């Protein structure tokens, strides 16, 4: 499962850099992705990534961190699928329309830090 940790690390680093450098374009791509794709299909991706993170955590120096991320991703997938009190639509609207460009860049920085940390923790 090292391959998954390498892949997700590079994906986080790449996505983080993309969010920092191309903030407007990344926002537009996220709008198209989240508005045109069925939420039940989207809910599968964080759930699968969460399970894979949980499984591959034993190949990391800080497995507790990856297990927490995995559990959070599975919960995110479940919330998107169940959509209690129309929460998915409210969060999507907030994420796509209310966040400033500085917040998108901050999220990019966080993704780069997490991706780099996970990459450095692989055994």
């Amino acid at each position: 499962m090292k391959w998954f940790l390498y892949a997700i690390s590079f994906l986080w680093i790449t996505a983080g850099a993309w969010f920092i450098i191309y903030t407007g374009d990344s926002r537009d791509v996220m709008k198209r992705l989240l508005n045109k794709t069925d939420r039940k299909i989207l809910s599968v991706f964080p759930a699968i990534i969460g399970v894979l993170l949980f499984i591959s955590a034993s190949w990391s120096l800080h497995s507790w961190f990856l297990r927490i991320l995995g559990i959070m991703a599975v919960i995110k997938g479940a919330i998107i699928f169940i959509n209690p009190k129309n929460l998915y639509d409210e969060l999507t609207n907030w994420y796509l329309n209310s966040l400033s460009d500085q917040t998108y860049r901050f999220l990019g920085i966080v993704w780069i830090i997490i991706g780099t940390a996970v990459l450095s923790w692989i055994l």
Side-chain angles (χ1 to χ4, degrees), residues 100-121:
S100 66
D101 286 349
Q102 289 81 7
T103 307
Y104 270 84
R105 289 185 186 109
F106 175 73
L107 289 174
I109 292 169
V110 170
W111 286 352
I112 288 174
I113 291 170
I114 291 174
T116 305
V118 170
L119 185 64
S120 69
W121 294 337

Side-chain angles (χ1 to χ4, degrees), residues 22-120:
Y22 302 107
T23 306
D25 294 337
S26 62
R27 184 187 299 255
D28 293 339
V29 169
M30 294 304 289
K31 279 184 184 179
R32 280 184 292 184
L33 176 71
L34 294 176
N35 288 333
K36 293 186 180 190
T37 309
D38 183 29
R39 69 175 171 83
K40 293 191 179 194
I41 294 171
L42 285 176
S43 68
V44 173
F45 293 108
I48 290 173
I49 289 172
V51 169
L52 289 174
L53 276 172
F54 196 83
I55 292 170
S56 63
S58 59
W59 279 272
S60 173
L61 292 174
H62 299 284
S63 58
W64 61 271
F65 183 74
L66 292 178
R67 287 193 177 104
I68 290 172
L69 285 179
I71 291 169
M72 287 171 45
V74 170
I75 291 170
K76 177 182 179 180
I79 287 174
I80 292 172
F81 186 79
I82 296 169
N83 196 18
K85 296 183 181 178
N86 212 15
L87 182 64
Y88 174 74
D89 295 328
E90 291 178 21
L91 286 176
T92 303
N93 183 37
W94 169 76
Y95 181 72
L96 296 176
N97 300 321
S98 298
L99 290 184
S100 66
D101 286 349
Q102 289 81 7
T103 307
Y104 270 84
R105 289 185 186 109
F106 175 73
L107 289 174
I109 292 169
V110 170
W111 286 352
I112 288 174
I113 291 170
I114 291 174
T116 305
V118 170
L119 185 64
S120 69

